[in-house]
Amino acid sequence: MNLDLSVSFAGIKLKNPVLSASGTFGYGYELADLIPLQRLGGIITKTITLEPRAGNPQPRIAEVCGGMLNTIGLQNIGVKTFVEEPLEKLSKIGTPIFVSVAGFCLKDYVETVKILNAQKGIAAIELNLSCPNLKKQIVCADLPLTKAVIKGVKKASKIPIIAKLSPMITDIAELSLIVQNAGADAVTLANTYPAMAIDIKTFKPKLSTVKGGMSGACIKPLTLRCVYDAYKKIRIPILACGGITTGEDAVEFMLAGASAVSVGTASLISPENIIKTIDAIEEILENYKIRKVKDIVGRLCKGKDNDRC
Ligand SMILES: Cc1cc2nc3c(=O)[nH]c(=O)nc-3n(C[C@H](O)[C@H](O)[C@H](O)COP(=O)(O)O)c2cc1C
C-alpha cells in the first residue's frame, strides 16, 4: 500500500507526524551520528531564552517508576549564541525546525521571537509557557500574562506560534481555547507534572529543588486525557507530548485528536525510539489498511452528536 504519513501542522508540511520533544534531544543536531535526523517529522529544540542560563544545581534528574523527574531549570546558551551556531547546523538537516522559547516577562518573549524572526530556516516557534522548574509560577497559570505573551509574540512573528501548556491547570481545554482566541496557531499538550522523590538512604529529596517535572511512560494516560478534552473544544491543531514511547502510543494520541506527536523521555532511553515510533505507525496503518495517517486524527470522536465528540 502506498502509505502517506504526511501531515499539515499549523500550515507546516511535515513528512510524518513525529517530532522530538523540547529538552530531550539537545539543540537538535547532536544525535546526527546516531540516528537519521532527516527521517523525523520535525525537531523541537531545547528551550532558549533571551539571555544564557546556567539552570538549577545538581542533582537535576531522578528515575521513578515508569518515568523520570527533572529540574534542569532551562539551562541554555541564550538566543544570540543559538542563532550563531546550533541554528546553522539545524537548518542543514532538511527537517522542519521548531524553536522552543521561554521568558520571564512579555518583553523577554517578544525580544527573543524578534531575533528568531530575523533568521532563516525556522518553521515554527514553540512558546514554553509551562516550565515547572522555576521559582516563579508557570506562565500559563497567569491568564492575563498568557494572553499578552501570545498577542505580543504573534504581532512580532511571521512564523507560526505554538503554545506549550502545562497539564497542571484546572481545565486544560478551557486554557487551550483561551490560547486559541489569543491567536496561537497550535497548542502543545503538555509539559511535565510536578512531582518529587526521596532518597531513603540519605532521607533527602532526590532533586536539588525538591520538586521537579515528571515525564515518561507513566504520564501517558494523564496527557492523553488532556488531548482528548482539548480536541473537543478547539479548532487549532494539537501537538501531543507525554510519555510517547512507541507507535501505538502515537496512534492513541492521534485517535484522541493530536495532529502530530513529540517523543521526549523515550529518546533519553534510546535515541532510536523516535525512529522506531515512525516505523511502527507505518506498520499499524498498513495492518488496518489506512492509507493516510491524517485520517486517524480525532477518529475517536467522529460520528458522535457533536462533530468533535
Ligand atoms: C530532561 C528534560 C528536559 C526538558 N527540557 C524541556 C525544555 O527545555 N523545554 C520544554 O518545553 N520542555 C522540556 N521538557 C519537557 C518535554 O519536552 C516534555 O514536554 C515532557 O518530558 C513530556 O513528554 P515525555 O513524557 O515524552 O518526556 C524536558 C523534559 C526532560 C525529561
Side-chain angles (χ1 to χ4, degrees), residues 80-93:
K80 289 180 194 113
T81 310
F82 171 79
V83 298
E84 274 163 25
E85 214 211 335
L87 184 59
E88 209 199 305
K89 288 188 175 157
L90 284 167
S91 48
K92 288 188 182 137
I93 297 169

Side-chain angles (χ1 to χ4, degrees), residues 2-294:
N2 190 10
L3 288 180
D4 180 4
L5 282 198
S6 70
V7 291
S8 167
F9 186 85
I12 306 151
K13 174 115 172 131
L14 306 178
K15 60 176 96 67
N16 66 64
V18 184
L19 296 90
S20 63
S22 180
T24 59
F25 213 73
Y27 288 103
Y29 63 87
E30 297 94 328
L31 297 175
D33 291 341
L34 297 176
I35 55 169
L37 297 177
Q38 28 341 308
R39 283 215 51 209
L40 307 190
I43 292 173
I44 307 180
T45 70
K46 160 118 206 90
T47 295
I48 54 161
T49 49
L50 192 54
E51 300 300 334
R53 285 178 54 83
N56 291 332
Q58 300 282 357
R60 308 200 289 194
I61 54 170
E63 262 188 68
V64 295
C65 191
M68 66 180 283
L69 310 182
N70 91 81
T71 180
I72 307 297
L74 297 185
Q75 178 186 351
N76 77 97
I77 55 180
V79 68
K80 289 180 194 113
T81 310
F82 171 79
V83 298
E84 274 163 25
E85 214 211 335
L87 184 59
E88 209 199 305
K89 288 188 175 157
L90 284 167
S91 48
K92 288 188 182 137
I93 297 169
T95 293
I97 303 302
F98 291 30
V99 180
S100 169
V101 169
F104 298 91
C105 60
L106 172 62
K107 190 171 153 278
D108 281 1
Y109 277 101
V110 172
E111 287 301 303
T112 310
V113 166
K114 275 188 184 161
I115 294 171
L116 293 172
N117 264 268
Q119 315 302 318
K120 286 200 185 97
I122 301 174
I125 290 171
E126 186 183 68
L127 289 184
N128 181 353
L129 302 171
S130 46
C131 181
N133 300 326
L134 305 170
K135 288 201 182 87
K136 284 179 113 177
Q137 71 163 354
I138 48 174
V139 173
C140 66
D142 178 338
L143 285 187
L145 178 60
T146 301
K147 285 190 222 170
V149 167
I150 291 170
K151 284 184 181 161
V153 159
K154 272 300 285 179
K155 226 186 263 173
S157 183
K158 54 185 186 327
I159 306 170
I161 298 294
I162 307 163
K164 182 169 182 180
L165 304 180
S166 166
M168 299 311 289
I169 294 293
T170 316
D171 188 342
I172 191 84
E174 193 56 39
L175 179 63
S176 301
L177 184 63
I178 288 168
V179 155
Q180 170 184 285
N181 292 342
D185 298 288
V187 284
T188 299
L189 303 177
N191 213 311
T192 53
Y193 295 74
M196 61 185 284
I198 299 169
D199 187 342
I200 57 143
K201 289 192 209 90
T202 58
F203 284 23
K204 291 210 167 101
K206 286 192 174 172
L207 297 177
S208 66
T209 51
V210 182
K211 290 174 269 182
M214 186 164 72
S215 62
C218 58
I219 70 168
K220 190 191 90 178
L222 299 167
T223 304
L224 188 62
R225 193 279 303 169
C226 294
V227 169
Y228 174 73
D229 280 351
Y231 181 71
K232 288 183 279 179
K233 211 149 192 174
I234 60 173
R235 296 286 151 192
I236 53 177
I238 300 170
L239 172 54
C241 180
I244 296 160
T245 311
T246 65
E248 285 81 358
D249 296 336
V251 168
E252 264 190 77
F253 272 100
M254 294 187 81
L255 291 170
S259 296
V261 301
S262 57
V263 173
T265 301
S267 291
L268 301 176
I269 298 168
S270 165
E272 283 181 3
N273 278 335
I274 192 162
I275 303 292
K276 288 182 182 162
T277 300
I278 300 166
D279 291 342
I281 295 174
E282 239 169 31
E283 273 171 40
I284 294 167
L285 292 183
E286 220 155 55
N287 284 347
Y288 289 98
K289 308 220 173 331
I290 297 168
R291 202 177 77 74
K292 294 183 178 180
V293 75
K294 64 180 182 213

